[in-house]
């Protein structure tokens, strides 16, 4: 089926509209604002090169962001023009694969998000009354994705020569780190616009279809997988089912060049403290982290055991560290400017972590950020001291937003 003909000048304009304009620049240093100055001419040139096959995919610029375990996660930053074309191709592939994806997949899909994944997981655990949770960590997924396996998977649904040649160019474009250019023979740069789509396509075949159509029918009890890109958990009512899947999962993923992290992939007993059944003698830790939240059992106001979520400790600490570094860097800016930016950052934090049961963590985060703001304002000058009394007066003029819980009830994502 021919797909490239759907990408015309109007399609590229829509891709441009959906592309973030203030993001980091790629290897050419061109900003979105600079590209927009001659937008029609630039898009027409991009379309002509794409259709004729003369488009040359530039290497991505590599940078790093901190991970929860203290290591650095590599991020690839394409050029702005490359982002537009990647967005356009992603839009086309999305229309093809949305009809194939299964309901367990929530990452980077229309109408789905991390919050629909979290809601799905909680509802499943509540309906099961808990059970066994298999925490699955695919080691360096975006760096390990096999190019040959990806091509074989794409062969099943996408055979348009123009699209496939363009995707191959992105896979072979290489990574620029400083002045060093490398060409990895596996992986897709995490941070690229098309990378999440390729990851979903890959894991749909390597994992989702296998679990739903091959593994689940062979299990004795109820089972469910919830996946957001390469972050996933599996839940089971039966311990033997969890351990059987854990036994065969490495072999299944190995067929696609993927490996499990040896210590982060593990089964976990997760039932209310009052539950009987298959509870082991030494349950140890009875909580787990998924998508930035620690899931645990707690009593509701009515006294019944429910699954609660709170900001994961590693995410809380990392967010505070970033806030402190940012406040330090802007401490000499006018207060009104600092306040405006700080309010946006706090609202962004609240918008993600504002779910039922997490108000204590949100309140604590707001307090700690306020404390850090006072600390760095106090170091603006040796002459004026920012006492707490003075800072509290400042907060009346520049108040910080209160915690909010916008996701009171997140509906289940509809099955595709």
């Amino acid at each position: 089926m021919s797909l490239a003909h759907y990408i015309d000048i109007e399609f590229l304009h829509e891709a441009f509209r959906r592309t973030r304009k203030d993001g980091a620049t790629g290897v050419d240093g061109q900003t979105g604002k600079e590209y927009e100055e001659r937008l029609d001419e630039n898009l027409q040139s991009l379309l002509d090169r794409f259709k004729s096959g003369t488009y040359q995919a530039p290497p991505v610029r590599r940078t790093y962001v901190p991970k929860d375990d203290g290591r650095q996660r590599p991020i690839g930053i394409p050029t702005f023009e490359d982002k537009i074309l990647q967005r356009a191709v992603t839009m086309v592939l999305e229309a093809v694969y949305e009809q194939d994806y299964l309901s367990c997949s929530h990452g980077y899909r229309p109408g789905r998000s991390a919050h629909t994944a979290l809601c799905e997981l909680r509802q499943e655990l509540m309906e099961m009354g808990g059970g066994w949770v298999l925490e699955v960590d695919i080691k360096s997924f975006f760096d390990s994705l096999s190019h040959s396996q990806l091509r074989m998977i794409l062969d099943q649904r996408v055979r348009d020569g123009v699209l496939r040649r363009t995707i191959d160019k992105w896979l072979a474009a290489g990574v620029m780190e400083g002045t060093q250019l490398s060409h990895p023979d596996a992986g897709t740069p995490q941070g690229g616009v098309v990378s999440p789509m390729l990851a979903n396509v890959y894991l749909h075949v390597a994992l989702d279809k296998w679990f739903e159509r091959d593994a689940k029918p062979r299990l004795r009890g109820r089972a469910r997988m919830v996946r957001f890109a390469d972050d996933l958990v599996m839940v089971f009512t039966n311990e033997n089912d969890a351990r059987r899947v854990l036994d065969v999962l490495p072999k299944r993923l190995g067929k696609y060049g993927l490996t499990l992290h040896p210590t982060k992939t593990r089964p976990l007993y997760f039932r209310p403290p009052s539950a009987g059944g298959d509870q082991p003698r030494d349950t140890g830790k009875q909580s787990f982290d998924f998508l930035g939240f620690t899931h645990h059992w707690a009593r509701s106001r009515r006294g019944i055991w429910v699954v609660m979520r709170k900001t994961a400790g590693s995410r809380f600490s990392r967010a505070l560290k970033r806030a402190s570094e940012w406040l330090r860097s802007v401490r000499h800016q006018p207060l009104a400017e600092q306040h405006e930016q700080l309010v946006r950052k706090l609202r962004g934090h609240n918008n993600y972590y504002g779910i039922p049961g997490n108000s204590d963590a949100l309140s604590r985060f707001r307090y700690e950020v306020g404390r850090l703001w006072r600390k760095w304002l106090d170091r603006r000058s040796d002459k004026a001291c920012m006492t707490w009394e003075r800072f509290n007066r400042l907060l009346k003029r520049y108040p910080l937003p209160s915690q909010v819980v916008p996701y009171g009830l997140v509906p289940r994502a509809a099955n595709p």
Side-chain angles (χ1 to χ4, degrees):
M1 179 175 61
S2 175
L3 297 171
H5 73 274
Y6 289 107
I7 300 179
D8 55 19
I9 195 66
E10 288 78 16
F11 203 88
L12 286 182
H13 271 283
E14 177 61 20
F16 169 80
R17 187 187 67 81
R18 298 189 188 185
T19 301
R20 181 179 173 182
K21 312 301 188 297
D22 60 348
T25 59
V27 294
D28 63 354
Q30 187 178 46
T31 65
K33 184 177 180 180
E34 292 169 348
Y35 193 88
E36 190 174 8
E37 291 174 357
R38 302 171 63 183
L39 182 60
D40 291 339
E41 180 181 342
N42 287 334
L43 291 182
Q44 187 61 57
S45 172
L46 175 60
L47 180 63
D48 294 340
R49 284 176 282 138
F50 167 67
K51 291 293 181 72
S52 66
T54 61
Y55 180 76
Q56 297 297 319
V60 298
R61 181 172 67 85
R62 173 162 286 175
T63 187
Y64 294 88
V65 296
K67 297 178 66 174
D68 292 342
D69 57 9
R71 295 182 298 164
Q72 297 287 309
R73 182 193 301 275
I75 298 293
I77 303 174
T79 64
F80 185 77
E81 182 175 70
D82 207 41
K83 291 177 184 178
I84 296 173
L85 188 55
Q86 287 193 30
R87 177 66 63 192
V89 171
T90 297
M91 290 159 58
V92 172
L93 293 179
E94 185 178 86
V96 173
Y97 281 99
E98 268 301 311
Q99 56 191 310
D100 295 344
Y101 289 150
L102 303 180
S103 61
C104 59
S105 171
H106 292 260
Y108 307 103
R109 296 181 56 193
R112 291 168 178 258
S113 66
H115 288 100
T116 63
L118 290 164
C119 183
E120 187 89 14
L121 176 61
R122 182 179 186 274
Q123 289 178 339
E124 193 71 22
L125 286 168
M126 291 293 293
E127 291 173 9
M128 286 184 175
W132 285 81
V133 173
L134 182 56
E135 299 179 86
V136 180
D137 187 284
I138 302 176
K139 189 175 181 180
S140 302
F141 168 73
F142 282 92
D143 295 329
S144 305
L145 186 149
S146 168
H147 291 175
S148 60
Q149 289 284 355
L150 176 60
R151 293 186 182 99
M152 292 175 60
I153 291 171
L154 290 173
D155 282 343
Q156 300 172 20
R157 296 289 277 121
V158 181
R159 297 184 179 180
D160 182 283
V162 176
L163 282 183
R164 292 297 301 275
R165 283 193 296 271
T166 303
I167 293 173
D168 283 344
K169 289 176 182 179
W170 284 326
L171 295 177
V175 175
M176 181 70 75
E177 188 167 359
T179 59
Q180 298 296 316
L181 177 63
S182 61
H183 294 273
D185 56 4
T188 176
Q190 191 170 358
V193 177
V194 77
S195 293
M197 167 58 68
L198 298 179
N200 268 345
V201 171
Y202 201 86
L203 288 175
H204 169 70
V205 174
L207 187 61
D208 299 357
K209 289 172 63 177
W210 168 80
F211 183 78
E212 294 293 335
R213 300 172 185 177
D214 295 332
K216 282 177 65 172
R218 292 177 170 83
L219 303 179
R220 305 177 94 182
R222 182 170 173 174
R224 179 73 175 174
M225 180 173 72
V226 179
R227 180 176 69 79
F228 186 92
D230 62 325
D231 291 319
L232 66 120
V233 293
M234 301 174 179
V235 295
F236 306 85
T237 55
N238 185 289
E239 178 185 2
N240 289 333
D241 287 343
R243 297 195 181 278
R244 285 178 62 195
V245 170
L246 179 58
D247 287 341
V248 299
L249 190 56
K251 183 178 179 181
R252 173 64 186 182
L253 293 179
K255 291 176 60 177
Y256 293 87
L258 304 176
T259 58
L260 295 175
H261 195 287
T263 59
K264 295 182 180 179
T265 300
R266 57 194 171 186
L268 171 75
Y269 178 81
F270 190 75
R271 291 195 191 278
S274 60
D278 58 351
Q279 179 174 359
R281 291 183 179 180
D282 182 15
T283 57
K285 170 186 160 186
Q286 294 189 50
S287 64
F288 66 95
D289 291 351
F290 181 58
L291 296 180
F293 291 89
T294 297
H295 296 65
H296 62 101
W297 289 98
R299 288 193 182 275
S300 69
R301 293 180 180 178
R302 292 185 295 170
I304 61 175
W305 289 103
V306 296
V307 176
M308 300 291 285
R309 287 82 51 88
K310 62 183 179 181
T311 308
S314 58
R315 294 292 187 93
F316 191 96
S317 300
R318 187 174 69 182
L320 275 185
K321 181 180 179 181
R322 289 180 175 176
S324 180
E325 292 172 348
W326 177 79
L327 288 166
R328 180 177 182 270
S329 68
V330 302
R331 66 187 184 278
H332 294 296
Q333 291 183 7
L335 285 176
E337 293 182 12
Q338 290 188 45
H339 176 255
E340 181 182 1
Q341 297 175 72
L342 185 56
V343 166
R344 286 201 300 266
K345 291 179 181 294
L346 280 172
R347 284 176 177 163
H349 182 89
N350 290 343
N351 285 341
Y352 185 78
Y353 291 102
I355 64 175
N358 198 33
S359 57
D360 287 349
L362 293 178
S363 297
R364 183 179 160 221
F365 186 77
R366 179 179 180 271
Y367 168 79
E368 293 293 342
V369 168
R371 184 181 62 81
L372 289 169
W373 195 21
R374 189 206 70 83
K375 167 188 171 181
W376 290 112
L377 289 178
D378 186 49
R379 300 187 183 186
R380 294 211 313 177
S381 171
D382 294 333
K383 299 179 181 179
C385 180
M386 181 59 70
T387 63
W388 274 106
E389 180 180 0
R390 183 183 175 193
F391 182 67
N392 286 329
R393 290 198 304 267
L394 181 146
L395 285 180
K396 292 181 179 179
R397 183 177 180 183
Y398 299 109
L400 298 180
S402 300
Q403 69 274 11
V404 293
V405 183
Y407 296 97
L409 287 175
V410 179
R412 282 179 184 259
N415 292 338

